[in-house]
Amino acid sequence: MGGNSAVGPILMLAGLAMLLVGAAAWAGALSWFGRLPGDVSVERPGFSLYAPITSMIVVSLALTGAVALIRWFGRG
């Protein structure tokens, strides 16, 4: 069978992270997310637009940091 032995722990950590974020969202701890300054919301009759620009920048920074940490500690 073989395979890359590092894939299992990475998938388990990703699953645990998703579980923790899901629990926080369910509990209401992330109610601020999507309402940050810079998130664009336009509502007019027959038209609505929502562009979570700042929220997606926060997600991008968090994922970039997580990948950098994984790569840093994965050099072992």
Side-chain angles (χ1 to χ4, degrees), residues 58-72:
V58 170
V59 168
S60 177
L61 290 172
L63 290 175
T64 300
V67 170
L69 285 174
I70 290 169
R71 292 184 75 183
W72 179 264

Side-chain angles (χ1 to χ4, degrees), residues 21-40:
V21 170
W26 190 18
L30 297 177
S31 61
W32 54 269
F33 190 74
R35 296 186 207 145
L36 296 172
D39 289 344
V40 178

Side-chain angles (χ1 to χ4, degrees), residues 49-61:
L49 170 71
Y50 179 67
I53 297 169
T54 306
S55 294
M56 291 302 101
I57 290 172
V58 170
V59 168
S60 177
L61 290 172

Side-chain angles (χ1 to χ4, degrees), residues 15-25 30:
L16 180 62
M18 289 174 55
L19 180 72
L20 292 174
V21 170
L30 297 177

